[in-house]
Amino acid sequence: MPTRPGTITIAIIMGSFGSFCMARLFRSRNKKKKKDLEEARLQAFYRLENARSVSGGLAPGADGALGAAAQKPLGTLLTDVTIDKVYLWEVEHLSKWFKSEAPESLVNHMHGTNYNSAPLPKNSPTFIRALSGIATSDSEFEDNAHDATNKTHYIKLIGVNECILADIVRKPGGESMSKAFIRAGPRRKLHFNPKTVNAAIVTCGGLCPGLNNVIREITNSLTFMYGVSGKIWGIIGGYKGFYDPERPPVELTPAIVENIHHQGGTILGSSRGGFDLEKIIDFIKKKNIKQLYVIGGDGTHRGAFIIHEGCMERGMNVAVAGIPKTIDNDVDHIDRSFGFQSAVEAAQDAIRSAKTEATCNLPNGIGIVKLMGRSAGFIAAYATLGSGDVDLCLVPEVPIILDGKLGFYHI
């Protein structure tokens, strides 16, 4: 039967439209199926990790084959390498002397804080995470603006006695005792109420690569991760900036610190000396500072400890946090301080230049490079190992013998 051309055209258009709709439907279904499968896997993973965190292992039959595999660790059981006593090097907590300023129901979240009636954990860490979307409105930091399940929780909250063993190397038949450090990380229970926190940041001593990064991350963490409503003050020019009228403190905001990590030095400036406890305490009282972040080396930290002691003597509920800063890498109990690697890298240029001078000045050219470090030879030692061009490295920790069979001249 003959048909009109218009009918054929309409049929073709309708057929194409139907195929397009079906393709969209299949893509939508596949996308939803993939999302549901991914969420189910995440939920299974979180249940598994929660079981590990709470019980220190897995309950029999937990999560099927995965749980069964986890119950039987791989490897050889060593009976002559054991740890049955752990002595924790505790950090004194302000809650020992002052009542917490945060409400009992205040729960720590990655995106601000929220109130939740769930009981706090005792001596075990809590592993929680919401799988729902993250709120983006300005009201997400307000009380009850969103339900707790709409928050993005920390993947891991650190338990009361979670620790890092100090004695990593263990020998067969050795002591079954070990020292341990408190593990860093977010706690579920806060000591301060973010809505009433004012903070201050000060940099002291010599310059160090990474100072602006630290200032930036402290500011952003207080603002975005803890929802601090008070002011964050940047102290200008070291300890003297607490009371110097010519260099008043500046208020730090995420907008101000957004790009400072691309700059060298410190936007706050730095200096040595200028420590005056009474004037610093007066500033803390006047600005109602609850958290003071002191970035510096060993001398700066001695000052930070004096500030802490001064606040305690006056009954002031103030947290003084010291952030180790030294390119010398001579701070106890940490493997590497920030700025150290940059200093070692910068030393390579000087060593290469010295080698060029030494090899081109005949017959016996000598290149000498003097590096920083004061009483520690970490920069010199690591720069030597990194270059491969140095014949003799002198460090303060090792006596230098020039003469005799073991002397440098003989070798």
Side-chain angles (χ1 to χ4, degrees):
M1 180 178 179
T3 58
R4 291 177 294 177
T7 306
I8 298 174
T9 304
I10 294 172
I12 293 173
I13 292 174
M14 291 186 65
S16 301
F17 180 73
S19 300
F20 174 73
C21 291
M22 291 297 292
R24 287 195 61 181
L25 178 62
F26 284 131
R27 281 198 299 267
S28 177
R29 286 181 177 177
N30 288 338
K31 187 176 181 180
K32 185 177 184 303
K33 185 176 180 181
K34 185 177 180 180
K35 183 178 180 181
D36 291 343
L37 181 61
E38 182 180 355
E39 185 166 331
R41 288 175 176 173
L42 284 172
Q43 289 175 342
F45 172 73
Y46 297 144
R47 287 196 302 269
L48 180 64
E49 290 299 319
N50 189 43
R52 283 198 184 106
S53 297
V54 173
S55 64
L58 288 175
D63 288 273
L66 186 59
Q71 291 181 63
K72 189 176 181 181
L74 299 176
T76 302
L77 176 63
L78 300 179
T79 58
D80 54 352
V81 179
T82 59
I83 299 176
D84 55 19
K85 292 180 181 179
V86 176
Y87 292 90
L88 184 65
W89 288 5
E90 296 174 305
V91 176
E92 189 175 66
H93 199 278
L94 286 175
S95 60
K96 180 180 178 180
W97 306 101
F98 302 99
K99 183 179 179 181
S100 173
E101 297 181 3
E104 285 292 331
S105 56
L106 189 67
V107 176
N108 189 13
H109 295 274
M110 186 179 292
H111 284 259
T113 53
N114 203 354
Y115 292 90
N116 194 323
S117 59
L120 295 174
K122 297 298 182 182
N123 290 325
S124 60
T126 304
F127 191 106
I128 52 176
R129 177 169 180 172
L131 297 176
S132 54
I134 303 172
T136 57
S137 66
D138 292 335
S139 62
E140 74 174 284
F141 299 113
E142 297 176 5
D143 291 349
N144 302 320
H146 298 277
D147 185 76
T149 57
N150 290 330
K151 298 283 184 179
T152 297
H153 297 224
Y154 286 99
I155 292 180
K156 178 94 178 206
L157 292 173
I158 305 303
V160 176
N161 286 331
E162 274 197 70
C163 58
I164 303 295
L165 295 180
D167 305 321
I168 300 176
V169 178
R170 312 297 301 181
K171 296 182 179 180
E175 291 187 4
S176 59
M177 176 272 294
S178 176
K179 299 184 290 292
F181 304 109
I182 291 179
R183 186 180 180 186
R187 268 63 177 174
R188 186 178 186 188
K189 188 173 182 180
L190 301 178
H191 181 72
F192 294 102
N193 187 347
K195 293 187 175 298
T196 61
V197 166
N198 294 300
I201 306 172
V202 62
T203 54
C204 304
L207 296 182
C208 178
L211 283 171
N212 282 333
N213 297 68
V214 176
I215 296 169
R216 180 178 186 265
E217 297 313 314
I218 293 175
T219 303
N220 287 335
S221 295
L222 290 174
T223 303
F224 297 121
M225 298 176 72
Y226 288 91
V228 166
S229 300
K231 296 183 181 297
I232 304 172
W233 295 103
I235 309 303
I236 304 299
Y239 280 133
K240 190 177 181 181
F242 281 101
Y243 56 87
D244 188 353
E246 296 182 1
R247 296 182 176 86
V250 297
E251 183 179 352
L252 299 176
T253 64
I256 290 177
V257 303
E258 181 178 2
N259 296 310
I260 65 172
H261 57 302
H262 298 303
Q263 305 173 24
T266 163
I267 63 165
L268 300 179
S270 184
S271 67
R272 291 178 171 86
F275 185 86
D276 189 316
L277 178 61
E278 294 302 326
K279 293 180 179 179
I280 294 174
I281 294 292
D282 289 342
F283 176 90
I284 293 174
K285 287 182 179 179
K286 181 180 178 181
K287 299 294 187 181
N288 193 26
I289 301 298
K290 294 296 182 182
Q291 298 178 10
L292 173 60
Y293 296 89
V294 181
I295 310 170
D298 50 357
T300 301
H301 277 73
R302 283 193 289 270
F305 180 72
I306 294 174
I307 295 174
H308 162 72
E309 292 288 290
C311 291
M312 294 295 291
E313 291 174 1
R314 293 163 177 78
M316 299 167 59
N317 189 12
V318 177
V320 181
I323 302 172
K325 178 271 311 176
T326 172
I327 64 171
D328 301 335
N329 201 40
D330 57 351
V331 179
D332 285 342
H333 310 311
I334 63 173
D335 293 328
R336 187 177 297 121
S337 57
F338 70 89
F340 170 67
Q341 287 180 303
S342 299
V344 171
E345 182 180 354
Q348 300 301 309
D349 291 334
I351 293 174
R352 283 191 289 268
S353 299
K355 181 183 179 182
T356 301
E357 290 285 342
T359 54
C360 293
N361 283 275
L362 303 176
N364 297 311
I366 298 176
I368 299 177
V369 177
K370 182 179 180 181
L371 300 175
M372 291 185 64
R374 196 170 58 175
S375 300
F378 289 104
I379 296 180
Y382 276 70
T384 296
L385 293 172
S387 71
D389 294 326
V390 180
D391 297 309
L392 176 64
C393 177
L394 309 180
V395 295
E397 295 90 342
V398 180
I400 301 300
I401 302 175
L402 298 179
D403 301 311
K405 292 184 178 181
L406 299 179
F408 175 71
Y409 292 149
H410 178 77
I411 295 175

